Amino acid sequence: MHLLLTMALLATPATTLAAPVTTTTASYAVYDRITHKLTGRDVHKQIRSASLVKILIAIEQLETRGDDPRIEPMLRVSDDNAASELWVENGWEQLVVRVADRLKLEDTRPPENRGMWGYTAVSASDMVKVYRYLLEDAKPKVRFTIMGHLQRAEKCASDGFDQSFGLPSATWHPAFKQGWSGFGDPTKPCVDRPRARVQWELDTKSPALHTSGTCLFSVVVVLTLHPQGTTYEKAAKRVTRLTEEVTKYRC
């Protein structure tokens, strides 16, 4: 996804980047809403959010300014323009600070460059907390709006990428939000068909691919970074395989 708000931001000096990974890095968390147990790996590892931050943008907008028609495309087809506009209107990086404080998120940090909303740092543990907040503590209007859009998320994103990797391929009819960054443009446009079951130093260079959401009685978050040069299609297959493993017998 394109993460810059305006072309002017391209001139902003770059921050120091962590070395790219040479193998796939994965952290994940699965929360069982029946037993209240959290399992996973490297659940507090900070990884750049890509479009997962759009859930935080939606929470802030709904809780402080009310509903907005741009929330629907931002969540259902991961529309970047809608996210960029709402990001600015809700205080740029300060919306991350406010939501993280309200939800008591431990690892979530705003981007060092305020224009790069997709460089917000999140962790699998914190993303589970976000879904738990929506399911358990948020006001009904906030819960039903966000989870309703995620339940009806579409196969094809507004930028042409296929969103059906991970949870929507590994589980049955989840509510989900995906994130991707660093893959350039899609090699071939997504074709929308019915979905089948099928230390504060953030790596801002390695391609990121995330899947998150709910299925049956579980909340699932899988965050991954891939070696540079990895194709979107190859990374998507890896994420789906990992998601199948971590959701086995749980979704």
Side-chain angles (χ1 to χ4, degrees):
M1 289 190 172
H2 303 296
L3 305 177
L4 295 178
L5 291 174
T6 64
M7 292 301 293
L9 290 172
L10 291 171
T12 304
T15 56
T16 302
L17 304 179
V21 295
T22 56
T23 58
T24 299
T25 299
S27 65
Y28 62 85
V30 179
Y31 175 75
D32 189 313
R33 298 184 65 208
I34 302 289
T35 64
H36 305 293
K37 290 183 178 179
L38 179 74
T39 58
R41 181 174 72 191
D42 293 335
V43 298
H44 291 288
K45 179 177 177 60
Q46 290 176 314
I47 293 181
R48 77 184 189 274
S49 67
S51 283
L52 299 190
V53 74
K54 290 172 181 173
I55 301 177
L56 303 189
I57 296 174
I59 290 173
E60 181 69 1
Q61 172 66 35
L62 287 163
E63 292 189 338
T64 63
R65 296 161 61 88
D67 203 358
D68 188 286
R70 291 169 291 184
I71 292 176
E72 178 178 342
M74 180 176 71
L75 296 180
R76 292 197 193 185
V77 294
S78 210
D79 186 82
D80 288 345
N81 291 330
S84 295
E85 292 173 6
L86 292 172
W87 172 263
V88 173
E89 292 171 18
N90 282 277
W92 303 71
E93 77 286 354
Q94 288 306 307
L95 82 84
V96 175
V97 175
R98 292 192 296 269
V99 175
D101 182 63
R102 289 203 304 276
L103 275 58
K104 296 180 171 53
L105 306 180
E106 298 177 66
D107 311 308
T108 300
R109 302 288 185 274
E112 293 184 351
N113 182 333
R114 70 191 316 224
M116 306 284 281
W117 45 258
Y119 282 33
T120 297
V122 298
S123 67
S125 173
D126 275 0
M127 288 307 302
V128 165
K129 287 183 179 180
V130 171
Y131 282 104
R132 287 190 63 191
Y133 174 79
L134 289 171
L135 294 170
E136 301 167 10
D137 299 317
K139 291 182 178 179
K141 173 65 175 178
V142 176
R143 176 184 306 117
F144 296 143
T145 298
I146 294 177
M147 296 307 297
H149 289 319
L150 298 187
Q151 188 72 49
R152 293 184 289 276
E154 299 180 20
K155 179 178 187 290
C156 297
S158 62
D159 60 3
F161 278 100
D162 187 330
Q163 297 192 110
S164 65
F165 66 89
L167 276 172
S169 289
T171 67
W172 181 252
H173 202 53
F176 67 94
K177 183 71 196 79
Q178 315 288 54
W180 55 92
S181 171
F183 292 96
D185 295 322
T187 55
K188 53 184 178 180
C190 173
V191 177
D192 197 1
R193 298 189 181 95
R195 192 168 71 240
R197 183 177 181 182
V198 283
Q199 179 181 39
W200 172 237
E201 205 176 32
L202 199 65
D203 185 342
T204 58
K205 220 171 188 180
S206 304
L209 198 64
H210 312 321
T211 185
S212 71
T214 63
C215 55
L216 289 181
F217 301 106
S218 295
V219 176
V220 182
V221 178
V222 179
L223 310 178
T224 64
L225 297 174
H226 301 261
Q228 289 190 38
T230 301
T231 65
Y232 184 87
E233 291 75 15
K234 188 172 183 179
K237 288 179 180 178
R238 290 176 181 169
V239 173
T240 297
R241 285 198 300 269
L242 178 57
T243 305
E244 289 172 342
E245 292 174 11
V246 303
T247 58
K248 198 171 184 179
Y249 309 122
R250 301 178 185 181
C251 290

